[in-house]
Amino acid sequence: MKTMIGRLLAMSALCAASHALAATQAATAQLHADQPGPTIPRYIYGQFSEHLGSGIYDGIWVGEKSSIPNVRGIRSDVVRALRELKVPLIRWPGGCFADDYNWRDGIGPRDKRPGRKNNWWTGKHESNQFGTHEFMDFAEQVGADAYIGVNLGSAPPRDMRDWMEYMTSDGDNALANERRRNGRDQPFKVPVVGIGNESWGCGGNMRPEYYADEYRRFQTFFHNNGQAAPAAIRVASGADREDYNWTDVVMKQAGAKLDALSLHYYTLPPADWKEGGKATRFSKEEWVAILAGALRIDDIIRRHAAIMDKYDPKKRVGLYVDEWGTWYRSDSGKFDWDLRQQNTLRDGVVAAAHFNIFHRHTDRVKQTSIAQTMNVLQAMILTDGPKMVLTPTYYAFKMYVPFQDATALPLDVSSPSYRLGATAIPSINASAAKGKDGKIYIGIANMNPDDNVQFSVNLGTLAATKVSGQVLTAQQMDQFNEFGKSPAVAAQPYRGATLANGALTLDLPAKSVVVVGLE
Ligand code: AHR
């Protein structure tokens, strides 16, 4: 008991000291609750799980005989945690892996499936124990829709046609009957299909003109197989970062035949990406560099969207940011292709900044998936044998759940900057929406690593009488959660809000994420 009280006293002394050191900046915003914008589709909060490192094996799949509690081979702890995030959609099986994948390897009795070499990811043994039925079972256990990436790079369109028919046909035909023999009577639901991945790189090193033709050929053999309306969304492989020419050419030559075009944007350190930035023990310069890098996605989306507007002024085609997130050096401290990295408070703040930016572009951005769900890059969850830890990114996702299918509301933010050397970022990045429960939500990232910010929001026509919320912060900017310990960075009840005279005032701790709901 004495030790506990001693620890609490030491902690409050530490808080008081850090509070005394921190200055307070002031930021303001105007909410326009009377000017509802587009819906924030729940697919904005999608996930991506690839056969890479321990993203699938150990992370999701442990097999039915494992001593780790599982349902039909799928980890129960992971499913339980992901259900809390209300994961709307999971993209699988890749990534680069998808364009080297033969779907037939992953169906039928598991003891008869061929082992293969995972060519993209370290040449590791791919047992194919986790295939179509196991992925669909995982998605169904989590409560998510399936986003299947089909092979355009190394397979003919017939493979895609057959896989789609196997999964989705309810007719009396050889492929649907094979699925039934493999244990699934009813067709699987496949609402989203990616046709090729990074076709400018690992998906075939194609020029956009060539890809556009290939896409046109593939989609000719793409059949919906009587899936209940709406028809599956066909996603064409889109640009890397600022390759605006790719978007232009694919939209011009194939835009009428696709439903969505992807975009990949990773937040990388400014130096050579293979050198990698540090996931932990980074300096304040590295904090700012990563946040500045994350914010660039705002302008990049705007520019790709402007090109799409030229060919699709009615915004029929969605922009799918189906890979995003931080990419650092691996756990080992070196670059390695298992791409497992630690996840700190900084990653939670990066995630919140992305959400706020996506919310502002939902007239065009209809889906995103963070890379990746388990043990790879900016993960929600890290596992080590039977142990599991929820990352700060996980908590950011959880805090933003009320934004799924909410109605975006304009929020004009005026923020002071945080400057370090040649790099400046706004301290505050925020967005607002009206949730399906009728409450108004405001999500904020205070990206200033040093200072608290007093954020005053003029609520305009909104007469709110009650406010509550959650905060994600920590003493150290590189704080992370460790196996077997109670989490050092987790969402906590937020008590820094006051409502008076039509204004909301939020006392935002330095380096934090806050989400408040107003009634
Ligand atoms: O997410 C890891 C890899 O990054 C994906 O397989 C690929 O699409 C991207 O280059």
Side-chain angles (χ1 to χ4, degrees), residues 114-131:
R116 300 271 182 215
K117 184 170 149 246
N118 186 335
N119 287 305
W120 279 110
W121 306 114
T122 69
K124 206 170 167 174
H125 181 72
E126 167 56 60
S127 67
N128 281 305
Q129 295 302 287
F130 191 84

Side-chain angles (χ1 to χ4, degrees), residues 57 97 100-110 112-117 126-132 134:
Y57 300 107
F97 182 81
D100 208 24
Y101 184 57
N102 181 350
W103 67 275
R104 284 214 154 269
D105 291 346
I107 58 164
R110 280 196 286 273
K112 302 257 172 355
R113 296 187 194 170
R116 300 271 182 215
K117 184 170 149 246
E126 167 56 60
S127 67
N128 281 305
Q129 295 302 287
F130 191 84
T132 302
E134 291 76 17

Side-chain angles (χ1 to χ4, degrees), residues 48 50 52 95-96 121 197-198 264 266 323 327 371-372 377:
F48 170 37
E50 180 170 15
L52 191 180
C96 296
W121 306 114
N197 166 75
E198 297 197 349
H264 289 182
Y266 283 100
E323 287 186 30
W327 187 316
Q372 298 193 2
L377 298 173

